[in-house]
Amino acid sequence: MTEYSVLIGGKAGEGINTAGLSIAGLFSRLGYRTYMYFDYPSLIRGGHNFAIIRASEKAIGAHRTPVDVLLAFDQNSIENHRESIHGGTTVVHDASQVMRGEGYGLPLDAIVKEEKAPPITKNSAMLGALARVAGIGPDVLEDVLRESVPAKHLEANLRVARRGYDAVEGVFTVEPLDGPALPVLTGNEVTGLGLVHGGLDSYVAYPMTPTSNLLHFLAERAEDLSLRVIHPENEISVIMMALGLAYAGERAAVGTAGGGFCLMTEGLSLAGMSEIPVTIVVGQRPGPSTGIPTYTAQTDLHFVLNAGQGEFPRFVVAPGDLAETYSWSATALALSWKYQVPSIILTDKTLAEGACSFDLGAVTMHPDREPELWGGTGEYRRYARIKSGVSPLAFPGRAGTIVKANSYAHDEAGFTTEAAGEVTALQEKMLRKGESLKEELSTYPTVRTYGARDAGRTIVCWGSEKWACIEAAEEFDARVVQPLVLAPFPARAWKEAMIGAGNVVCVENNATGQLARLLRQQGFDPGRSVLKYDGRPFAVDELAARLKEVFA
Amino acid sequence: MTPAGRPAGDLISPAENTWCPGCGNFSIEHMMKSAIAELSEEERIPIENFVLLGGIGCHGKLVDYLNVNSFYGIHGRSVPAATGIRLANPDLKVICHVGDGDIYAEGLDHLLFAAKRNSDITVIVHDNRVYGLTTGQYTPTSPAGFRGRSTPGGITEHPLNPLEVMLAAGATHIARGYTRKVQHLKGLFKEAIMHRGFSFVDVLQICATYFNLTDYYNEHAYEMKEDEVDTGRFESALGKIREWDYDREAPIPLGTFYSVGKPIYEEEFRALTADRSDRRALVRNVIEEWR
């Protein structure tokens, strides 16, 4: 397999994320599939930021440790990544910052001064140097800059990029592929687009890493997408506004991380009892509490499965890549409306802020699902207890109809009741709705499998760890089984997927094995756990080394 | 059902009323019912375009007792839900019934921000200055020295003057009523509902069981005359609002203190959501731009 890895590192505030996306754009232009992991501490300036960009002739979704090119804006960017440098690695560094440099030193301070360009254009010099090292022509370089740099800064960037290009030599040659130049998108962006595909009318959120960029992206594109984007005073308001919008007939979604979701739990429970649809994007990051806010984890599975007081059905999905994020975001919104339940899209920092080539044409969409609306005959009862448990919807403002939503136990019309029989019937109606949802999901790809059925070795994983597992599995001829839907748990599909699983390993980014715990609760053996909980996702090679200990 | 002009009597729902005898909530319920019926008749607003929200506490039961669209929510959180409803449908008249503990304690942040953004909703506070349903604890508007079940020695804090807080936060319509002056109260409700922007009515409501201030209010409360306050001037409103601070003994002015026009929050979004014909095509366009 032809593939390349590039690491670019520097201080926060130097534009490492943007530079990384430009590098991904460079490879994408040549028909490669790209993946970018972006690592940054919680500070605005200084510290150490880096991005690892991988390009491959086939679809990928994880990074590897060794890199072909290392672009270093400071000494840390070399010292912190010694394990990534090998005999074949080309190092390019900023000679104005790096004292004990290796490889090519670019006098970036002098270059930007001579070119009368702003300091941020140093990224273009590095991009130019990378293009030359990788045998990518100046025309491709220019094209990528034209697309990523605003017109008024373009000329300065082109001049500086050319200086970087001329300062180094060709080391290897990235051959163009036949593939299309796919857009490189983040998980947050694709979540937003998937929600709009599903019919989103309003997005409501309070900023919180790693979903702030979902808020920023939708706010920036609100006009293009005919979308209302609202940032209220706190997460409690966020979910309450969304419930108000939905009660009045508009599809709303909210986004947050674990800490914000803590505040939303009373609203979640209200959504459960009042049967008002809401879709919640929860981007996981390490906790408890503030934890390490700009890093990644898979630690909120049981929190989202169990949040809120009382017993009510919910839909929880954990997509593992951009294609799944797009289709399941649309579906989560649709199912929350069809079944009038809260739906939760569980992502994490790796998926939400990581970037990847996105091929919309290759995404398999699930069939469209519409909520059942009241037909208009007889007196409307908001909570009519029909067999499926799903009462037809009507919205305030409809002539001759009164719509009563209620957080209390209520009768069919929506009036408060504490009568034993009514309370029992209400609880059973809510649970029947969950059963109807479960039944519908039996026709969806709720559990995905990769690799041969007779492998005898199976890696179980969920969410953003999917692609590291798929690639690592190739080294062991192992299968990968990934549950996408976590509530209602697709027990039948799981059982079927795990027939003949053999030696099972459960890979997760947490310390206690949360998926393993869920599988045990469902009566399945999760095998041995391979866990990582330092806030970083598994690199493919790192995971393979860990699996070797288990599979040996 | 007729969309407009339905007799007020039809607005009473079959739900069993569980308020204590003598509760001030009865006045609020009946005046709200009459206000809705009259506005429906006078302003040709269909009944189905009214939405009532309740929080948690004795006040919240009101939404069960009226045959009007309702969102019986949770403690302190009616206001952001009301903003969401108004965002979704600008034809709706959205009225939050809230309690003083409900909105000045748990929900104060939402109240401040709804006023700040001039959300086009109406907030009616059932301010009985005591927690009723949880059996008699002090609230943010209980006077200093109030002895409640959680503060048997008497509270050492002083109450908020919620009108002053609302004026500072940017509310565009501020009024105070009293449950023993029902016709006056009904007028305040109608005026607040018809105000374009954030309207706020603090209703001095007697709690017959835990804090019956009937004699006190009867002695001190008075209806402001037309020229007593310049409702278009912040300073004039502030001076009148400070005449009584919910703590010391003083005359208690009733009526509208402040009423001004400002752009409405929900209407700022109109242009963004004008064309929703084919959202999937819009998504494809956005993705196409990345290439």
Side-chain angles (χ1 to χ4, degrees):
Chain A
M1 179 172 83
T2 307
E3 69 160 85
Y4 304 95
S5 268
V6 179
L7 189 152
I8 183 166
K11 294 182 176 60
E14 290 183 333
I16 300 298
N17 192 16
T18 312
L21 290 169
S22 295
I23 292 169
L26 203 57
F27 284 101
S28 183
R29 175 53 53 100
L30 297 171
Y32 284 79
R33 310 290 294 237
T34 62
Y35 169 79
M36 180 177 98
Y37 166 67
F38 180 49
D39 188 301
Y40 64 105
S42 182
L43 47 75
I44 309 297
R45 297 207 176 273
H48 176 59
N49 285 10
F50 69 95
I52 298 174
I53 304 91
R54 213 174 137 218
S56 166
E57 58 187 359
K58 61 173 200 174
I60 50 172
H63 68 288
R64 287 181 186 270
T65 310
V67 297
D68 301 297
V69 182
L70 190 152
L71 305 169
F73 281 104
D74 58 7
Q75 196 76 48
N76 271 343
S77 300
I78 298 176
E79 301 309 327
N80 290 1
H81 301 286
R82 285 282 167 205
E83 83 283 5
S84 292
I85 304 174
H86 53 88
T89 304
T90 304
V91 178
V92 180
H93 64 268
D94 178 359
S96 352
Q97 299 296 322
V98 178
M99 293 303 124
R100 301 183 302 283
E102 45 203 273
Y104 298 100
L106 306 184
L108 293 184
D109 283 353
I111 290 176
V112 296
K113 199 172 168 195
E114 287 162 25
E115 299 295 342
K116 297 186 174 54
I120 198 76
T121 60
K122 290 175 183 177
N123 281 307
S124 292
M126 285 294 198
L127 195 66
L130 169 66
R132 180 63 170 277
V133 165
I136 298 170
D139 47 330
V140 176
L141 173 65
E142 261 191 39
D143 259 15
V144 168
L145 285 171
R146 273 180 208 290
E147 281 193 3
S148 56
V149 177
K152 89 176 164 178
H153 301 300
L154 182 63
E155 283 309 315
N157 276 279
L158 288 173
R159 291 198 305 274
V160 172
R162 189 74 206 195
R163 293 286 301 266
Y165 191 87
D166 291 340
V168 298
E169 300 159 84
V171 178
F172 54 93
T173 304
V174 177
E175 297 293 347
L177 300 177
D178 284 342
L182 294 172
V184 180
L185 272 62
T186 66
N188 276 326
E189 289 164 343
V190 171
T191 304
L193 294 170
L195 288 168
V196 177
H197 182 109
L200 186 70
D201 293 308
S202 290
Y203 181 73
V204 198
Y206 186 83
M208 188 171 190
T209 306
T211 55
S212 296
N213 287 329
L214 172 52
L215 170 63
H216 303 164
F217 167 68
L218 290 177
E220 180 74 32
R221 294 300 193 139
E223 204 164 346
D224 300 334
L225 296 168
S226 194
L227 188 69
R228 200 187 281 114
V229 178
I230 310 162
H231 160 190
E233 60 271 21
N234 54 40
E235 285 91 347
I236 298 169
S237 259
V238 164
I239 192 159
M240 292 307 303
M241 269 192 198
L243 294 178
L245 283 157
Y247 165 75
E250 280 211 358
R251 297 186 188 200
V254 309
T256 188
F261 187 67
C262 285
L263 293 172
M264 289 183 185
T265 53
E266 59 171 335
L268 178 81
S269 194
L270 169 60
M273 178 55 107
S274 62
E275 304 194 38
I276 298 175
V278 63
T279 302
I280 307 167
V281 182
V282 179
Q284 298 170 98
R285 59 189 230 189
S289 195
T290 310
I292 39 172
T294 62
Y295 285 85
T296 200
Q298 298 181 301
T299 47
D300 295 331
L301 175 57
H302 286 272
F303 181 32
V304 304
L305 289 173
N306 297 294
Q309 70 271 37
E311 299 165 304
F312 58 92
R314 70 193 73 193
F315 173 70
V316 179
V317 63
D321 57 24
L322 296 190
E324 289 168 0
T325 300
Y326 190 82
S327 58
W328 283 101
S329 295
T331 297
L333 192 74
L335 292 178
S336 66
W337 274 82
K338 184 167 176 195
Y339 293 94
Q340 302 167 35
V341 294
S343 70
I344 295 165
I345 302 165
L346 197 54
T347 70
D348 59 21
K349 186 259 177 181
T350 308
L351 180 61
E353 295 196 342
C356 206
S357 299
F358 179 58
D359 187 356
L360 179 61
V363 177
T364 312
M365 296 305 296
H366 310 135
D368 286 334
R369 300 286 182 222
E370 290 300 324
E372 193 187 335
L373 301 177
W374 182 57
T377 42
E379 195 162 334
Y380 179 64
R381 289 174 305 159
R382 172 62 189 87
Y383 299 106
R385 288 170 192 157
I386 56 185
K387 193 165 167 251
S388 65
V390 183
S391 318
L393 282 172
F395 308 113
R398 179 157 177 176
T401 308
I402 296 302
V403 184
K404 293 189 101 64
N406 202 335
S407 71
Y408 271 83
H410 43 261
D411 64 15
E412 290 188 88
F415 291 111
T416 305
T417 177
E418 292 174 350
E422 291 283 339
V423 171
T424 305
L426 168 67
Q427 183 69 62
E428 288 171 358
K429 167 206 172 1
M430 281 201 286
L431 297 183
R432 277 206 308 280
K433 219 169 52 159
E435 287 305 311
S436 300
L437 168 62
K438 191 170 181 173
E439 198 174 318
E440 165 149 4
L441 283 165
S442 65
T443 63
Y444 287 63
T446 52
V447 178
R448 301 281 305 270
T449 63
Y450 305 86
R453 173 73 80 176
D454 60 355
R457 291 169 167 176
T458 298
I459 300 168
V460 169
C461 65
W462 61 289
S464 67
E465 285 302 310
K466 165 184 168 174
W467 279 97
C469 289
I470 289 174
E471 282 201 58
E474 288 170 4
E475 299 186 23
F476 303 94
D477 290 325
R479 287 178 88 219
V480 174
V481 181
Q482 169 211 13
L484 267 152
V485 172
L486 298 156
F489 190 78
R492 202 191 305 166
W494 185 259
K495 198 171 177 179
E496 148 67 20
M498 293 296 282
I499 290 169
N503 193 355
V504 178
V505 178
C506 191
V507 175
E508 300 184 64
N509 262 158
N510 58 52
T512 59
Q514 297 208 2
L515 175 62
R517 196 195 318 168
L518 177 63
L519 291 173
R520 275 192 295 272
Q521 283 173 358
Q522 294 290 331
F524 299 106
D525 177 5
R528 287 174 67 179
S529 279
V530 167
L531 307 174
K532 181 171 160 77
Y533 38 89
D534 59 1
R536 280 78 175 167
F538 275 113
V540 176
D541 49 294
E542 178 192 14
L543 177 58
R546 293 281 301 276
L547 290 171
K548 203 170 177 180
E549 297 166 18
V550 185
F551 283 141
Chain B
M1 292 183 201
T2 53
R6 195 165 55 168
D10 289 359
L11 293 180
I12 297 294
S13 82
E16 185 197 352
N17 194 304
T18 60
W19 285 324
C20 307
C23 178
N25 273 318
F26 288 106
S27 305
I28 299 178
E29 179 196 352
H30 289 284
M31 291 308 107
M32 179 53 53
K33 173 200 68 185
S34 300
I36 288 174
E38 288 176 24
L39 286 177
S40 181
E41 181 75 31
E42 294 157 12
E43 307 284 343
R44 309 306 297 168
I45 302 168
I47 293 290
E48 62 266 18
N49 280 9
F50 289 90
V51 180
L52 304 177
L53 291 97
I56 297 301
C58 295
H59 77 271
K61 298 179 178 189
L62 183 147
V63 307
D64 260 354
Y65 300 158
L66 294 185
N67 257 335
V68 176
N69 292 310
S70 63
F71 185 117
Y72 200 156
I74 48 178
H75 198 53
R77 312 301 179 203
S78 305
V79 167
T83 300
I85 293 169
R86 176 61 179 75
L87 275 163
N89 187 345
D91 295 333
L92 300 178
K93 291 286 180 194
V94 185
I95 307 156
C96 293
H97 284 270
V98 297
D100 49 321
D102 177 64
I103 203 68
Y104 300 142
E106 198 101 356
L108 185 60
D109 46 356
H110 307 307
L111 186 64
L112 292 178
F113 276 85
K116 170 183 180 285
R117 50 176 77 105
N118 199 30
S119 182
D120 186 16
I121 62 174
T122 298
V123 176
I124 311 278
V125 187
H126 300 214
D127 192 355
N128 59 10
R129 309 172 70 194
V130 67
Y131 286 107
L133 209 52
T134 53
T135 67
Q137 302 84 3
Y138 84 101
T139 80
T141 51
S142 303
F146 175 87
R147 291 172 192 273
R149 295 185 70 186
S150 62
T151 54
I155 50 167
T156 54
E157 305 168 32
H158 293 275
L160 289 176
N161 180 340
L163 279 65
E164 196 176 337
V165 173
M166 285 290 87
L167 186 69
T172 53
H173 185 95
I174 299 170
R176 181 192 286 136
Y178 170 39
T179 50
R180 289 287 174 118
K181 291 183 181 291
V182 290
Q183 291 306 317
H184 181 252
L185 188 62
K186 183 178 74 181
L188 294 180
F189 286 169
K190 289 170 70 175
E191 196 188 353
I193 292 167
M194 292 313 293
H195 173 74
R196 287 179 43 78
F198 181 83
S199 53
F200 170 86
V201 186
D202 192 60
V203 182
L204 298 176
Q205 179 212 329
I206 63 102
C207 173
T209 304
Y210 292 106
F211 199 27
N212 196 339
L213 289 169
T214 305
D215 292 345
Y216 181 86
Y217 289 150
N218 284 347
E219 192 180 326
H220 293 82
Y222 72 97
E223 291 173 35
M224 285 187 285
K225 293 188 186 65
E226 209 160 276
D227 56 352
E228 233 171 292
V229 61
D230 181 348
T231 56
R233 273 186 59 234
F234 186 96
E235 292 75 13
S236 174
L238 182 61
K240 203 68 197 169
I241 282 169
R242 283 180 168 169
E243 193 175 331
W244 179 59
D245 66 359
Y246 290 70
D247 211 13
R248 65 176 201 287
E249 189 145 340
I252 304 174
L254 304 175
T256 299
F257 295 84
Y258 191 61
S259 193
V260 297
K262 265 202 326 198
I264 291 170
Y265 174 74
E266 289 81 4
E267 293 179 356
E268 307 282 315
F269 291 92
R270 269 188 186 165
L272 288 177
T273 54
D275 177 24
R276 288 182 158 171
S277 45
D278 187 355
R279 314 287 290 290
R280 293 181 182 182
L282 299 180
V283 171
R284 282 194 297 275
N285 292 346
V286 166
I287 293 174
E288 197 59 38
E289 276 180 41
W290 260 285
R291 289 172 195 261

